[in-house]
Amino acid sequence: LWQGRKPIQGKIYFSVNFLCFYSFIVGKQTRILIRWTEITKLDKNEPLLFPQTIKVVTRNASYEFSLLTNFREVYKLASQLANMAMKQ
């Protein structure tokens, strides 16, 4: 996860209803829980440093996740889950 120019190392999790991120480094915990229905835009982003970045935009915030293992599969799954949530 990128917050500004600072990376936060952690894990991203997908469920049927949520996109989740969790990090615990040096006593600092970061948790993000986003409902698929809150996502207004899900896009592959092309920043200068890390080309494999998923940009998640909600009504209130924007998040960028990069350095993902199996980037294409992760993006495809996220897109499918977001589309399923929109159809319901």
Side-chain angles (χ1 to χ4, degrees), residues 10 13 41 47 50 64 85 87:
Y13 302 93
K41 186 176 182 182
F50 301 107
E64 291 187 7
K87 289 179 183 178

Side-chain angles (χ1 to χ4, degrees), residues 41-65:
K41 186 176 182 182
L42 182 67
D43 199 11
K44 289 188 265 187
N45 202 3
E46 297 291 334
L48 297 174
L49 292 175
F50 301 107
Q52 296 182 335
T53 301
I54 294 177
K55 186 171 186 176
V56 178
V57 180
T58 65
R59 292 178 200 100
N60 302 322
S62 176
Y63 306 94
E64 291 187 7
F65 300 96

Side-chain angles (χ1 to χ4, degrees), residues 5-60:
R5 294 182 179 215
K6 185 174 108 177
I8 298 176
Q9 182 181 359
K11 295 194 182 220
I12 190 168
Y13 302 93
F14 298 148
S15 75
V16 175
N17 298 313
F18 295 96
L19 180 151
C20 309
F21 176 81
Y22 180 77
S23 173
F24 186 81
I25 298 175
V26 193
K28 183 175 181 187
Q29 183 175 335
T30 302
R31 291 188 299 179
I32 298 173
L33 187 67
I34 306 169
R35 284 190 168 276
W36 290 111
T37 54
E38 293 176 8
I39 295 175
T40 58
K41 186 176 182 182
L42 182 67
D43 199 11
K44 289 188 265 187
N45 202 3
E46 297 291 334
L48 297 174
L49 292 175
F50 301 107
Q52 296 182 335
T53 301
I54 294 177
K55 186 171 186 176
V56 178
V57 180
T58 65
R59 292 178 200 100
N60 302 322

